[in-house]
Amino acid sequence: MRAARWLALGGLLALAGPLDGRLVGPEEAGFGECDRFFYAGTPPAGLEAAAHLKIDDPTSTLGELTDEADAISSVNSLGSKQALSTDYVDPDYQRGQLYPFSLSSDFREATFALTNAVPMSPSFQERWYTNLRSLMERALTPQCGNGEDLYLIAGAVPSDRRLQDRVTIPAFVWLAACCAMPGGGWAMGFVQHTRDGDIIEDVMVKELEKLLPSNPQLFQDNCGETEQDTERMKKILEVVNQVQDEERTVLSKEDTRPLSSMTSEGSALLPPEAPEERRSFLGRLMGFITTPVIRLFQLLYYVAVGILKNIIYFLWFVTKQVINGIENCLYRLGSATISYFLAIGEELASIPWKVLKVMVKIIRAVLRILCCLLKAVCRILGIPVRVLVDVATFPMHTIGAVPIVCKDIAVGLGGTISLLFDTAFGTMGGVFQVIFSICKKIGYRVTFDNSGEL
């Protein structure tokens, strides 16, 4: 970390990578074939170009790579654009990996590169590794399909301090996680300042981007922001709270110093001894007598302070648990009260509708009864009405039938007269026919008799 606004980005080390590769030239955008290790194949956008430099010779090949110790004497300006192992000779700082190799299932040598490291104190490095391991094993990996669709970017933001006046000590380190699991994706960031006593913090990715120089966009489309699973994020936050409580417990234990350090610090508080030639026998005797007493009082003092601290921490822990219990009780009571009033409100709101439904049913029943009564009345009144109608229409039917009756009478009379005439004429005809037949027979006989006489 050289420039004041230099931003270190770690790769997606949890994913499997190729066994070999090539150096990316200065004219190539992004990370070449390694872009596929980023979410949606897109590296972070909006990084400050002037603060980032590509190291090594872009015209060289992987076969020309040599160890740092061998390259110091053969490569000109080595270390002008990157840190060297010789920069980490300060006992207060060591090379701390932004993404520890122990969290990766694929042990690549690139994990140990200085470009994946920043100066960290031993205590901070241990806390950072422990927190990342807890988050990865208990939250991030289980909530993302066992890590199959998990993308990680690690980095650091520099402070104003430098190690060996060369490598910038970070103000805080961060980790951004993006889960691209279909139907259950999420995105979340984590920040931990290097100050003593600071614990790891959870932030949204957008808030993390605002904390970084030049406000870059770490994941395209904020890792599918519109389709993220809030339930999985809640489960992750529960684990984060547990990790934070564990870190607070560790920090509280670190404040309790061992007895050896107490005695050494107590001896440093004693007044400086006089030179041997200026001491008297009495002074040495008094010093020999009083020193154990003073040490005993110092020991009692530090023990009392330690006990007092532990009592305070214990009371703080008990108070916190009581407060959490009260908060949980109040939350549950509030939730139950709200649910009760909501249920009452729903019932009260449904009363008018239910009353309206009952009234509609009553009206329908009354109308049905009225219809039945009207039908019965109509049926009862239908008989005399028909009779009256028949009586009222009888004269009209009678008058209308007179011409027909007269016609029938006339036809009957005509038929009778015609029948009489037919009978009379028939009878007369029959008589004449009988007479004629008789006469004809008589005349035939007369003629026959006369012919015999001749």
Side-chain angles (χ1 to χ4, degrees):
M1 302 174 64
R2 296 298 308 278
R5 293 177 63 83
W6 191 87
L7 178 64
L9 292 178
L12 304 179
L13 304 178
L15 302 178
L19 293 177
D20 54 7
R22 64 177 181 85
L23 297 177
V24 179
E27 72 283 352
E28 296 183 69
F31 297 88
E33 293 86 348
C34 293
D35 286 346
R36 64 188 180 91
F37 293 110
F38 293 92
Y39 171 74
T42 305
L47 299 176
E48 188 176 355
H52 295 82
L53 299 174
K54 292 186 177 181
I55 59 176
D56 300 316
D57 185 4
T59 61
S60 63
T61 62
L62 289 176
E64 300 177 1
L65 297 180
T66 59
D67 294 334
E68 178 183 325
D70 299 332
I72 291 178
S73 58
S74 59
V75 179
N76 295 328
S77 302
L78 182 66
S80 60
K81 297 180 181 179
Q82 73 263 36
L84 300 176
S85 298
T86 55
D87 295 326
Y88 290 92
V89 295
D90 193 325
D92 295 332
Y93 291 94
Q94 56 190 11
R95 184 173 64 182
Q97 298 170 357
L98 294 174
Y99 186 85
F101 74 93
S102 59
L103 300 182
S104 175
S105 60
D106 187 16
F107 297 95
R108 301 301 184 200
E109 292 184 358
T111 313
F112 298 90
L114 288 171
T115 52
N116 181 44
V118 293
M120 295 183 184
S121 64
S123 60
F124 177 79
Q125 183 186 36
E126 182 179 359
R127 287 161 49 203
W128 176 243
Y129 288 6
T130 302
N131 291 335
L132 288 188
R133 183 178 296 105
S134 298
L135 292 175
M136 288 294 297
E137 295 178 354
R138 297 158 56 183
L140 304 185
T141 301
Q143 296 300 328
C144 191
N146 202 23
E148 295 296 331
D149 299 302
L150 183 62
Y151 295 85
L152 301 174
I153 302 179
V157 172
S159 65
D160 297 331
R161 299 177 299 161
R162 291 191 177 186
L163 182 63
Q164 303 295 329
D165 199 23
R166 278 179 42 83
V167 183
T168 306
I169 299 173
F172 65 86
V173 294
W174 55 269
L175 178 74
C178 168
C179 179
M181 187 169 58
W186 47 264
M188 188 171 294
F190 304 93
V191 175
Q192 184 156 6
H193 289 79
T194 57
R195 296 187 299 264
D196 293 336
D198 286 357
I199 62 175
I200 193 168
E201 304 173 10
D202 56 277
V203 294
M204 301 303 294
V205 174
K206 286 187 176 180
E207 298 299 324
L208 175 60
E209 293 172 349
K210 295 178 181 179
L211 299 176
L212 305 181
S214 71
N215 297 332
Q217 184 181 14
L218 298 178
F219 303 109
Q220 186 182 22
D221 193 26
N222 197 22
C223 190
E225 182 177 13
T226 57
E227 300 178 356
Q228 292 181 1
D229 190 346
T230 56
E231 293 299 325
R232 293 182 180 273
M233 296 178 69
K234 290 180 180 179
K235 294 180 180 179
I236 295 175
L237 291 177
E238 292 177 359
V239 178
V240 172
N241 292 334
Q242 297 175 4
V243 173
Q244 290 174 343
D245 292 339
E246 293 171 0
E247 189 174 6
R248 291 191 186 97
T249 303
V250 172
L251 291 175
S252 64
K253 291 181 179 180
E254 289 180 354
D255 291 339
T256 305
R257 302 176 183 179
L259 181 62
S260 59
S261 61
M262 294 179 187
T263 55
S264 61
E265 290 178 4
S267 61
L269 297 176
L270 295 176
E273 297 180 357
E276 185 67 24
E277 61 273 8
R278 299 177 59 182
R279 284 186 176 183
S280 62
F281 176 76
L282 183 60
R284 289 196 300 270
L285 180 61
M286 292 298 296
F288 178 78
I289 296 173
T290 57
T291 297
V293 177
I294 294 175
R295 295 289 179 87
L296 178 61
F297 277 107
Q298 288 178 343
L299 177 61
L300 294 176
Y301 168 76
Y302 285 113
V303 170
V305 170
I307 294 174
L308 182 61
K309 283 184 177 180
N310 290 327
I311 292 174
I312 293 175
Y313 285 127
F314 176 75
L315 294 177
W316 175 83
F317 177 76
V318 172
T319 304
K320 182 180 177 182
Q321 296 298 323
V322 172
I323 293 174
N324 291 335
I326 295 174
E327 289 180 352
N328 292 332
C329 292
L330 293 177
Y331 174 77
R332 293 178 180 177
L333 179 62
S335 300
T337 304
I338 293 174
S339 301
Y340 176 73
F341 282 109
L342 287 176
I344 293 178
E346 291 178 356
E347 292 297 328
L348 293 176
S350 64
I351 288 176
W353 172 248
K354 293 181 179 179
V355 171
L356 181 61
K357 290 174 66 176
V358 172
M359 293 180 63
V360 170
K361 291 181 178 180
I362 294 174
I363 293 173
R364 289 178 60 187
V366 172
L367 291 176
R368 288 181 179 178
I369 294 173
L370 292 177
C371 290
C372 293
L373 291 175
L374 184 60
K375 287 181 180 180
V377 171
C378 291
R379 289 181 180 179
I380 294 172
L381 297 178
I383 297 175
V385 168
R386 285 194 294 270
V387 173
L388 293 175
V389 171
D390 292 339
V391 172
T393 57
F394 177 75
M396 298 180 63
H397 288 295
T398 303
I399 296 172
V402 170
I404 299 173
V405 172
C406 293
K407 180 181 176 182
D408 293 338
I409 293 172
V411 171
L413 291 175
T416 304
I417 295 172
S418 175
L419 180 61
L420 291 175
F421 279 107
D422 290 338
T423 303
F425 285 113
T427 304
M428 292 179 64
V431 172
F432 283 117
Q433 189 175 1
V434 170
I435 294 172
F436 177 74
S437 299
I438 296 171
C439 290
K440 185 177 178 180
K441 290 181 179 181
I442 295 173
Y444 176 74
R445 291 178 178 177
V446 171
T447 302
F448 183 75
D449 291 338
N450 289 331
S451 60
E453 293 179 352
L454 293 175

